[in-house]
Amino acid sequence: MLEAIGADKARVFDAFAGEGEMFRAVWSSAAAYAGCDLMWYRDDRLAFVADNRRVLRAIDLAPFNVFDLDAHGSPWEQAMIVAARRPLSKGERVGIVLTDGSGLGIKMGNLPGALAKLTGMRGRPSGLNRSHDELIGKALWAVARRMGAEPVKRWQAKGKTGASVVYVGAVLEAPSGAAGRGAGSGSRAAGSSAGLS
């Protein structure tokens, strides 16, 4: 992610900062960093101590171009807030790092509300656990469209435990020929995540 955005340009908002493992391993190399967690940790990180949804709704998100949404549950409510409050300008790139731990709940028939909204799912359809990757792809496209962008790069890995956790990194970019919100309505933004590297 830092290579795709540029470490010297990356300004990270870490919505689930925790004890700082990701900061020490990766985000400390970024140009700027702000974390958020419900607990205060005695270290040198700049951090908000509050519910990240409240912080994401209250602060100016324009200074940030990388959002780490490592929920260990469903990160899609936070992703929707970012999408609503952080439109991209022409040619601008933003990175989103997600930990989607909703797979186990989906296996039990519980689709998180924000994921359902982003994907247009209604009710409690069965067998969704077999389509978890497709749901993530559709949700990413919906987030990108709301930001006036298209996904241009995507990395994905699955956890090795039975918890069905999926780790995703995506770079979204606003087309340079279009302006502002809704610019991602071209053919690549039609809803399929095929072809993304």
Side-chain angles (χ1 to χ4, degrees), residues 153-178:
K153 191 169 270 262
R154 177 177 168 187
W155 306 269
Q156 185 166 313
K158 290 188 179 186
K160 296 181 179 179
T161 69
S164 301
V165 176
V166 179
Y167 305 93
V168 180
V171 176
L172 313 180
E173 184 176 330
S176 56

Side-chain angles (χ1 to χ4, degrees), residues 61-92:
L61 299 182
F64 301 102
N65 60 4
V66 176
F67 295 90
D68 184 348
L69 309 177
D70 183 5
H72 289 291
S74 177
W76 298 106
E77 185 177 354
Q78 288 80 4
M80 284 178 64
I81 296 168
V82 171
R85 301 201 62 244
R86 181 56 171 90
L88 276 63
S89 56
K90 292 182 188 179
E92 186 180 12

Side-chain angles (χ1 to χ4, degrees), residues 17 19 22 31 39 41 48 51 73 88 97 107 112 117 130 145 148 171 175 185 189:
E19 295 179 4
M22 281 297 291
M39 290 184 58
Y41 294 93
F48 296 93
D51 183 318
L88 276 63
V97 179
K107 280 183 184 177
K117 186 168 188 168
R130 293 186 297 275
R145 278 194 307 272
V171 176
S185 59

Side-chain angles (χ1 to χ4, degrees), residues 13-91:
F13 184 87
D14 187 355
F16 297 86
E19 295 179 4
E21 290 178 44
M22 281 297 291
F23 174 76
R24 288 187 296 278
V26 180
W27 301 138
S28 59
S29 299
Y33 172 90
C36 186
D37 203 274
L38 289 172
M39 290 184 58
W40 176 71
Y41 294 93
R42 187 184 301 269
D43 56 32
D44 293 335
R45 292 176 292 159
L46 171 66
F48 296 93
V49 181
D51 183 318
N52 59 34
R53 294 166 297 184
R54 293 185 73 148
V55 173
L56 286 167
R57 287 183 178 112
I59 66 171
D60 181 9
L61 299 182
F64 301 102
N65 60 4
V66 176
F67 295 90
D68 184 348
L69 309 177
D70 183 5
H72 289 291
S74 177
W76 298 106
E77 185 177 354
Q78 288 80 4
M80 284 178 64
I81 296 168
V82 171
R85 301 201 62 244
R86 181 56 171 90
L88 276 63
S89 56
K90 292 182 188 179

Side-chain angles (χ1 to χ4, degrees), residues 2 4-12 29-32 63-66 93:
L2 288 182
I5 298 296
D8 61 331
K9 298 181 182 105
R11 298 173 315 277
V12 179
S29 299
F64 301 102
N65 60 4
V66 176
R93 282 186 160 197

